[in-house]
Amino acid sequence: MQTSVERKGKESTGLNWYTLGPLLAAVAVAALMYLLAVLLERQILPYALVDELLIACVFLGAAIGGAAAAKKRGRSALASGLIAGAVLAALLAVGSLMAEGEAALSADCLRHAIAAVAGGLFGGALCLNRRAAKRKKRGRRR
């Protein structure tokens, strides 16, 4: 028979939700941007849409990270996704500040930060548990 201390030790071996979400979001954004670069280089996608496609990559990567953080936390899905998106937006802002020749928080950086926060919130919204509310409403009608 295991004691409660042994059970707690086995459960806490993974990453916490507040590190898993932004880390997975950053990896997903990098992978999506690499895929975008390959598609642009092979001229499958037009280069004129590069700004919009970059925003889409940031949004989708943040949504993946927000969903992962919300699933890992198990409660407060919207808050978890929002935090994961905000951390990714902060990482993008720091990267923009470190870039040479760029303005210190340009309009593109602001667009990417908004896409990151919105994507994280969307990923958290995907993980909402709405079944319990529907069951309660159904029970009241009868």
Side-chain angles (χ1 to χ4, degrees):
M1 184 166 165
Q2 293 179 345
T3 64
S4 62
V5 175
E6 291 174 353
R7 275 187 248 133
K8 285 182 183 178
K10 289 184 180 180
E11 292 175 2
S12 64
T13 56
L15 292 172
N16 292 330
W17 66 270
Y18 49 83
T19 55
L20 176 71
L23 182 67
L24 189 61
V27 169
V29 167
L32 288 170
M33 284 186 181
Y34 178 76
L35 179 65
L36 177 65
V38 168
L39 292 175
L40 287 171
E41 188 269 331
R42 293 187 180 177
Q43 297 178 351
I44 296 172
L45 294 174
Y47 190 75
L49 297 175
V50 72
D51 291 332
E52 290 83 5
L53 293 172
L54 279 173
I55 290 173
C57 287
V58 171
F59 181 85
L60 289 175
I64 291 169
K71 282 287 188 186
K72 179 78 173 176
R73 188 173 185 188
R75 57 181 166 80
S76 302
L78 288 177
S80 303
L82 182 68
I83 291 170
V87 170
L88 180 64
L91 290 174
L92 289 173
V94 168
S96 173
L97 289 172
M98 289 175 20
E100 196 172 312
E102 289 290 321
L105 296 183
S106 62
D108 286 334
C109 178
L110 184 62
R111 286 186 198 112
H112 294 148
I114 290 171
V117 172
L121 194 60
F122 179 72
L126 289 177
C127 297
L128 282 175
N129 187 9
R130 301 293 295 173
R131 290 185 214 145
K134 290 180 182 178
R135 288 181 190 162
K136 288 179 184 176
K137 287 181 184 178
R138 199 178 298 161
R140 282 188 246 162
R141 289 181 190 168
R142 293 181 183 174

